[in-house]
Amino acid sequence: MVLMAVGLIMALSMSPQSKTPNVEDSNLDSTEHKHTNHLIDEASPYLLSHAHNPVDWYPWGEEALSRARDENKPIFLSIGYAACHWCHVMERESFENESIATILNDGYVCIKVDREQRPDLDEIYMAFTTAMTGRGGWPMSVFLTPDLKPFYTGTYFPPEDSYGQPGFKRIIVELLKTYRTDKNTLTQTAEKVFVQMSARFNSVTQANSTLKQEMIERGVRRLRGSFDDKYGGFGQAPKFPHSLELSLFLRYHQATGDDVFLKAAEKGLTAMARGGIYDHVGGGFARYATDRAWLVPHFEKMLYDNALLTSTYVQAYRSTSRPLYLSVVRQTLDFILREMTDDNGGFFCSLDADSEGEEGRFYTWSKNEIDALLGDKSKLFCDFYNITSGGNFEGRNILNVDSNSDRVRNVTDAEDFDLIAADYIPLLLKARSGRIRPATDDKILTSWNGLALSAMCDGYQITGDKRYLEAARRNAAFVKSTLFEDGALIHAYRNGKQLREEFLEDYAYYVKGLLDLVETDIDHGSEWLEFAVVLAQRAIILFMDENGRWFLRPAGQEDLIVRPRDETDGSTPAPGSVMMTCLLKLNRISGRKEFLDTAEKGLIAISLLLEQSPQAMASALLAVDYYLNDKLEIVVVGDGPVREKMIAEIYRRNLPNVVLAVGPGNCHNVALFQGRESSGQAKAYICRNSVCGLPTETLQDLKMQLDEL
């Protein structure tokens, strides 16, 4: 572990997450505030929420970095995000504190970063923080030399010394004293740390040229070893959804028939859908549960969680036909459309956990509120959702379903019980809509929009609800028209303001979304395929090096002390792994061998890491699975009502590694259509590893062929 630069006891990370700024308050005219700093012209709601702190914040950029160099001042870098509860605790306690602000303004150049806008900076300085302290989290507090090298790192600090931890005020005073009186020692230590960390970032991992099925086997077995058989999910508390790992379990079960992994996936997905982490009134999932049993969430809702979970529940529904999973898909997508969708078709980042100054206030209920709403039917509702006078969260109630709920269901008249979903839940949703809402981080990130685009496509395929297809079309049209300029994807957008930096995650996640849309928006598939090819080609040029490694940013970024890359999954999948799966699929659709060669090179580059830590690389294992195993191609050409029934039958099935191409007869602009024609009547061609069966023109024949796959 890298040694810390100074001898203070580190105040380690508190639990991250959950507070969205009130954008309206942040945008008030500066004359109404005692303080206004350099964040006032930013687009990020998180940055705007700090624009009136007494701390003289700068956004990350040349103005702040030049000032640090010119005045020879250390930099205090604070990284957080809008849905981060402890970020806003530290703001209230320290950054709104006049005496602390005076020390910071006098001795430091203070920079505030929204990690969602600059994931590259977050990746770099989080790596330093975890190496120097053994832990990470947000808010991230990093002290840098003027040449951007960390000499002290941490996360949340209380304002004053507390429980044996140094307070933020004492830390900034002692660090500044050290910087002024013994700068050479401090900068030498910072340089030593930098050299060690730079070697990690720049290392070329030895490649194993053999990509083996055993990698997948080892990864799923190790993941299964950390699975919580009692409550579902992975680990103890806090407990995160881990949708990628559950998707890997479902895929492994289908490939091997091993029911252990299907049962584990179902255990986790069912527990989350029944627990308090799921919003039983409005749909959608909170970021994580604070307890092992999924009851008490940290109430913020993130777009990426809900998008990834939706796709996993779709996969689970196709595997099991369980109505619960279909209901979760519908309710979660409806939540996104209702509360996280902009008029232009973009999807917002997150919703806050807090409202009216209390965490979870918007989402929790007293029994008296339920009684007043439901009258004589309240008892049935409260019994089923475990609502009591004492509550289960700070005197209020988080709706949840458990074994007691099952007993209530079993002894209740079916018609009365159906009213819970049909009538009672809408009453609660209507009543809740009159409350003071949690604030929304309404910036639009291209990367997370790509994940949501995939979710909308997946949802449409199993529900047939055209609202989801229309939302997917509008999103793709918006990104293409507004977030794609001069051949480049724009990372972030809000109210007409753009962050024009280019990130691998935007290209990877959005290409995946477009490929899902190609198979879903069958009337415009060629347009979305063309867009996906353009983005994939640019991504290869910008983000991949000669060794096959994928980097998060293009080379030559002058404000980065190292070029970051991230090959393991976090709360979102490793973007390089997602891109490699996309390239493999593009190769099958377009016939372009360069996509296959590039994906193969990238997989080989991470093969040794996959051997060592497969349990941390679910998205890479899914890419290896696509590369190694049977590829299915289904081509439907022609027109008429039979075609629609054929497509619906294909959508209904769990067909991993499938490429679906739908087009009219005599369509030659896509490689998969070549030699597959129809003069009018719909035909379906099913091929495995480029070996095709006879075309079928009836739904019954198609079902028989699909059953044999």
Side-chain angles (χ1 to χ4, degrees):
M1 180 180 294
V2 180
L3 294 176
M4 292 174 55
V6 293
L8 293 173
I9 300 174
M10 175 59 63
L12 294 176
S13 169
M14 302 283 287
S15 296
Q17 292 26 299
S18 120
K19 173 101 172 95
T20 313
N22 187 316
V23 177
E24 289 73 21
D25 288 348
S26 300
N27 287 333
L28 291 175
D29 186 88
S30 62
T31 59
E32 299 182 24
H33 298 272
K34 182 178 179 181
H35 303 282
T36 299
N37 56 50
H38 303 272
L39 302 179
I40 192 62
D41 294 321
E42 293 299 302
S44 160
Y46 175 68
L47 298 184
L48 286 171
S49 72
H50 292 75
H52 299 297
N53 293 165
V55 176
D56 188 21
W57 293 115
Y58 284 82
W60 183 275
E62 186 54 34
E63 182 181 5
L65 303 183
S66 294
R67 183 185 165 200
R69 292 192 298 266
D70 294 344
E71 299 181 15
N72 194 21
K73 284 186 173 181
I75 294 169
F76 170 56
L77 172 64
S78 176
I79 300 179
Y81 59 102
C84 169
H85 176 74
W86 288 99
C87 298
H88 291 272
V89 171
M90 191 166 177
E91 178 191 12
R92 291 193 300 270
E93 292 177 343
S94 295
F95 303 150
E96 293 178 355
N97 182 302
E98 296 276 358
S99 63
I100 288 176
T102 297
I103 299 168
L104 287 172
N105 295 341
D106 177 64
Y108 298 85
V109 174
C110 299
I111 299 177
K112 174 63 73 172
V113 166
D114 181 341
R115 69 174 293 261
E116 296 167 358
Q117 281 195 334
R118 291 299 303 264
D120 52 343
L121 294 171
D122 183 68
E123 178 69 24
I124 291 169
Y125 291 111
M126 185 60 74
F128 277 91
T129 298
T130 54
M132 295 170 75
T133 70
R135 296 182 64 180
W138 299 275
M140 193 191 328
S141 303
V142 187
F143 295 85
L144 311 175
T145 62
D147 60 356
L148 310 183
K149 296 170 183 176
F151 58 87
Y152 191 81
T153 62
T155 52
Y156 165 82
F157 295 105
E160 304 291 342
D161 294 2
S162 177
Y163 297 101
Q165 298 182 97
F168 185 63
K169 187 173 184 178
R170 182 159 73 91
I171 288 172
I172 60 176
V173 168
E174 294 193 19
L175 285 178
L176 188 59
K177 179 180 177 180
T178 302
Y179 188 85
R180 288 173 171 171
T181 61
D182 195 12
K183 180 183 175 184
N184 287 340
T185 299
L186 188 148
T187 55
Q188 287 172 7
T189 304
E191 181 64 27
K192 182 179 179 180
V193 171
F194 169 73
V195 169
Q196 294 179 47
M197 292 301 298
S198 181
R200 295 189 193 181
F201 276 104
N202 295 324
S203 63
V204 179
T205 305
Q206 181 181 354
N208 180 343
S209 60
T210 304
L211 296 166
K212 299 175 292 186
Q213 193 73 32
E214 288 81 359
M215 294 175 175
I216 303 172
E217 169 84 15
R218 188 180 300 111
V220 296
R221 295 293 173 187
R222 289 185 184 177
L223 283 169
R224 185 64 185 83
S226 64
F227 191 81
D228 182 351
D229 287 309
K230 183 174 182 180
Y231 293 105
F234 298 89
Q236 302 296 310
K239 186 171 282 187
F240 291 80
H242 288 283
S243 55
L244 289 170
E245 289 80 358
L246 295 176
S247 289
L248 181 63
F249 277 10
L250 291 167
R251 174 67 191 110
Y252 188 75
H253 161 260
Q254 185 168 22
T256 65
D258 191 335
D259 285 341
V260 168
F261 293 93
L262 175 62
K263 291 177 181 177
E266 287 196 86
K267 179 76 173 180
L269 293 169
T270 301
M272 286 190 288
R274 289 162 62 95
I277 191 175
Y278 184 67
D279 181 357
H280 293 270
V281 173
F285 292 86
R287 177 70 191 96
Y288 64 90
T290 62
D291 64 308
R292 182 183 172 191
W294 303 105
L295 174 61
V296 180
H298 222 332
F299 289 87
E300 73 276 16
K301 291 181 175 180
M302 311 298 295
L303 177 63
Y304 61 79
D305 280 318
N306 284 283
L308 289 167
L309 281 165
T310 295
S311 293
T312 301
Y313 276 94
V314 168
Q315 185 182 359
Y317 177 72
R318 284 172 167 154
S319 297
T320 66
S321 300
R322 291 191 63 175
L324 173 64
Y325 300 158
L326 182 62
S327 175
V328 167
V329 169
R330 288 185 179 275
Q331 292 172 355
T332 303
L333 292 179
D334 288 350
F335 151 69
I336 293 174
L337 292 180
R338 184 180 65 246
E339 301 186 38
M340 299 191 74
T341 303
D342 189 73
D343 291 341
N344 58 26
F347 301 116
F348 299 145
C349 282
S350 62
L351 297 181
D352 198 353
D354 299 5
S355 59
E356 302 181 63
E358 296 181 25
E359 183 179 359
R361 179 73 185 184
F362 184 75
Y363 298 104
T364 56
W365 302 82
S366 70
K367 187 175 185 302
N368 288 339
E369 288 174 315
I370 303 297
D371 290 342
L373 281 171
L374 303 185
D376 61 355
K377 297 296 185 182
S378 177
K379 185 178 187 307
L380 171 61
F381 187 92
C382 289
D383 287 347
F384 182 73
Y385 282 110
N386 295 294
I387 295 169
T388 65
S389 297
N392 54 25
F393 177 73
E394 299 180 358
R396 293 173 65 80
N397 289 276
I398 302 168
L399 274 63
N400 69 99
V401 178
D402 62 7
S403 58
N404 175 68
S405 308
D406 296 332
R407 288 192 293 270
V408 172
R409 184 197 301 268
N410 291 335
V411 301
T412 302
D413 180 87
E415 184 174 340
D416 285 345
F417 189 81
D418 287 343
L419 292 176
I420 286 182
D423 291 340
Y424 303 163
I425 288 293
L427 283 176
L428 266 68
L429 182 61
K430 182 178 180 180
R432 196 175 77 175
S433 67
R435 297 176 177 176
I436 297 174
R437 287 180 49 78
T440 303
D441 184 343
D442 60 351
K443 70 177 180 292
I444 295 168
L445 296 179
T446 300
S447 55
W448 297 4
N449 272 242
L451 299 175
L453 174 59
S454 289
M456 289 293 167
C457 292
D458 290 340
Y460 169 73
Q461 288 184 12
I462 65 164
T463 67
D465 191 329
K466 291 188 177 180
R467 293 178 304 135
Y468 307 146
L469 175 58
E470 179 57 29
R473 285 174 177 160
R474 291 183 67 238
N475 183 263
F478 164 70
V479 169
K480 188 177 181 182
S481 64
T482 306
L483 303 184
F484 181 64
E485 290 187 358
D486 303 322
L489 270 182
I490 291 163
H491 176 61
Y493 173 92
R494 181 175 180 267
N495 292 343
K497 293 185 178 181
Q498 302 171 333
L499 179 67
R500 298 183 62 87
E501 312 285 351
E502 289 183 271
F503 294 87
L504 173 60
E505 66 179 53
D506 296 320
Y507 285 83
Y509 300 168
Y510 215 81
V511 169
K512 182 186 183 303
L514 288 170
L515 291 179
D516 291 332
L517 188 57
V518 168
E519 298 181 338
T520 308
D521 186 13
I522 58 179
D523 293 329
H524 306 90
S526 59
E527 175 187 354
W528 307 128
L529 177 60
E530 180 181 350
F531 190 24
V533 168
V534 169
L535 296 182
Q537 290 173 326
R538 183 169 178 85
I540 294 168
I541 294 171
L542 290 180
F543 303 109
M544 195 180 201
D545 73 358
E546 67 278 3
N547 297 305
R549 301 177 302 174
W550 290 95
F551 290 84
L552 303 184
R553 292 296 309 279
Q557 305 297 311
E558 295 182 356
D559 62 341
L560 302 182
I561 56 174
V562 294
R563 190 182 183 193
R565 69 182 196 269
D566 188 8
E567 293 160 338
T568 58
D569 298 320
S571 55
T572 54
S577 297
V578 174
M579 181 58 76
M580 287 185 285
T581 299
C582 292
L583 294 176
L584 292 169
K585 194 164 189 175
L586 277 171
N587 164 253
R588 300 305 299 261
I589 299 173
S590 69
R592 299 188 185 192
K593 189 173 182 297
E594 65 267 24
F595 290 143
L596 172 61
D597 293 341
T598 303
E600 185 177 53
K601 184 177 182 180
L603 287 172
I604 290 173
I606 62 171
S607 57
L608 185 59
L609 185 59
L610 269 170
E611 291 274 8
Q612 297 168 343
S613 304
Q615 71 280 4
M617 304 176 71
S619 58
L621 293 178
L622 289 168
V624 172
D625 177 76
Y626 193 103
Y627 176 78
L628 291 177
N629 292 307
D630 289 347
K631 284 81 175 175
L632 301 176
E633 299 170 358
I634 303 177
V635 180
V636 181
V637 295
D639 297 297
V642 174
R643 185 184 79 156
E644 303 308 314
K645 294 179 180 179
M646 287 179 169
I647 295 168
E649 180 64 27
I650 295 165
Y651 286 162
R652 182 180 69 82
R653 305 213 177 208
N654 197 4
L655 300 170
N657 301 344
V658 70
V659 171
L660 172 63
V662 181
N666 304 313
C667 180
H668 298 291
N669 63 334
V670 176
L672 285 180
F673 291 120
Q674 293 177 8
R676 294 159 179 167
E677 303 176 352
S678 174
S679 59
Q681 177 67 32
K683 289 183 180 180
Y685 298 80
I686 300 179
C687 309
R688 183 193 294 269
N689 299 327
S690 302
V691 177
C692 303
L694 294 174
T696 177
E697 296 183 354
T698 70
L699 181 61
Q700 188 62 35
D701 286 346
L702 175 65
K703 289 181 178 180
M704 291 176 61
Q705 290 194 30
L706 291 174
D707 287 341
E708 294 174 357
L709 292 178

